[in-house]
Amino acid sequence: MIFIFVLGYCLVILSLEFIINPKSNAPENQPATSNHHLVHWSYGGSRNPSRWGELSEDYILCETGEFQSPIDIPKKILADETAQPINFNYQIIPLTIKNNGHTIQVDYAPGSYMQINGETYQLLQFHFHTPSEHTVDEKAYGMELHLVHQNQAGNFAVVGVLIEEGAENYFLQPLWDHLLEVEGEKNLEKVMINAQSLLPEKREYYRYDGSLTTPPCSEGVKWYLMKTPIEASAEQIEQFMEIYQMNARPVQPLHRRKIHLN
Ligand SMILES: [Zn+2]
């Protein structure tokens, strides 16, 4: 009798827990720890960047991390005398473009890489944000390009390129001709692209230690933000904004980090 009473009591508590705790009622129906790709996040609404850390245990660094990206780059940073240039070696490849629900992304075939300080990082993909995620002297640009690389040890290095509103960018146009308005992917064997053409001519860069700017906000990411922006026309920026009106995480506290200008 006591056993049945206790069992009944437990069942009531369990069902209450299910109703009260939105996590166990999440639309993904996934335990928080199973697969972070399945926990939905966004740039607005109740799953906006200020809430990312609460959405999943896997996203906790979004809230507690002290090496988070993006950041504001203060105007006065002295150039580093021991400057190391980045050696880019990107290949021409057929275009594979996707809308992944958060951005427009171009996947890169193996064989393209950058080298810095004797370390080689393979280019995996590049994608776009609007407005820019990094700001310079608190100023945001129209867009920002992120070239995501990984070395053999699995560490990430991201090259950021600010995109300023100005002249039409002819190198962006082949991508812009194939922007996907809804989630999906296109493989275009006849459209050849080279990520090298999206880099500014001047290759001075800001360097700091940061994170992925999307959940799970993993740290240990080497950031190289190009000092010189590239340009895109107002029409090109608007065309992207018709798909993603805003997909930029706000700037994060610098804490004790140093920013170097190379
Ligand atoms: Zn990005």
Side-chain angles (χ1 to χ4, degrees), residues 43 103 127-129 133 144-146 148 158 213-214 223 247:
Y43 291 99
T103 187
H127 61 264
F128 299 89
H129 297 270
E133 295 206 298
E144 184 170 334
L145 160 69
H146 287 162
V148 181
V158 184
T213 66
T214 56
W223 272 93
N247 66 340

Side-chain angles (χ1 to χ4, degrees), residues 129-243:
H129 297 270
T130 187
S132 68
E133 295 206 298
H134 288 90
T135 56
V136 179
D137 201 22
E138 296 184 358
K139 181 201 164 190
Y141 288 74
M143 292 185 71
E144 184 170 334
L145 160 69
H146 287 162
L147 297 135
V148 181
H149 306 73
Q150 195 171 35
N151 69 4
Q152 268 204 314
N155 299 316
F156 288 104
V158 184
V159 173
V161 182
L162 299 163
I163 305 179
E164 188 171 35
E165 187 182 312
E168 185 181 342
N169 190 317
Y170 296 104
F171 301 113
L172 276 183
Q173 206 48 47
L175 315 179
W176 258 230
D177 287 341
H178 299 285
L179 291 179
L180 288 88
E181 283 172 27
V182 291
E183 281 182 54
E185 183 173 320
K186 276 192 217 170
N187 296 292
L188 298 141
E189 289 297 324
K190 288 177 184 161
V191 181
M192 303 303 286
I193 57 139
N194 190 344
Q196 197 108 3
S197 57
L198 294 173
L199 296 170
E201 268 177 51
K202 283 188 192 166
R203 301 280 167 80
E204 268 182 299
Y205 59 87
Y206 299 107
R207 169 174 60 87
Y208 77 96
D209 293 325
S211 72
L212 302 180
T213 66
T214 56
C217 307
S218 317
E219 298 188 336
V221 177
K222 298 266 180 222
W223 272 93
Y224 303 96
L225 182 71
M226 291 289 145
K227 189 184 175 204
T228 307
I230 61 169
E231 289 183 21
S233 67
E235 289 77 16
Q236 285 177 315
I237 295 171
E238 273 166 32
Q239 211 183 325
F240 184 90
M241 287 176 73
E242 280 170 20
I243 303 171

Side-chain angles (χ1 to χ4, degrees), residues 41-102:
W41 53 270
S42 64
Y43 291 99
S46 62
R47 289 164 183 265
N48 73 68
S50 70
R51 313 292 286 279
W52 287 352
E54 304 160 23
L55 299 177
S56 160
E57 285 172 27
D58 292 341
Y59 298 174
I60 193 69
L61 277 176
C62 302
E63 193 175 313
T64 62
E66 297 199 344
F67 291 81
Q68 291 289 295
S69 295
I71 55 166
D72 176 58
I73 310 282
K75 210 172 187 180
K76 282 184 183 164
I77 292 179
L78 291 178
D80 197 328
E81 293 301 321
T82 59
Q84 285 276 343
I86 306 177
N87 191 357
F88 292 97
N89 197 323
Y90 296 161
Q91 307 298 315
I92 300 172
I93 60 153
L95 177 63
T96 299
I97 189 164
K98 66 167 80 152
N99 178 334
N100 66 13
H102 300 293

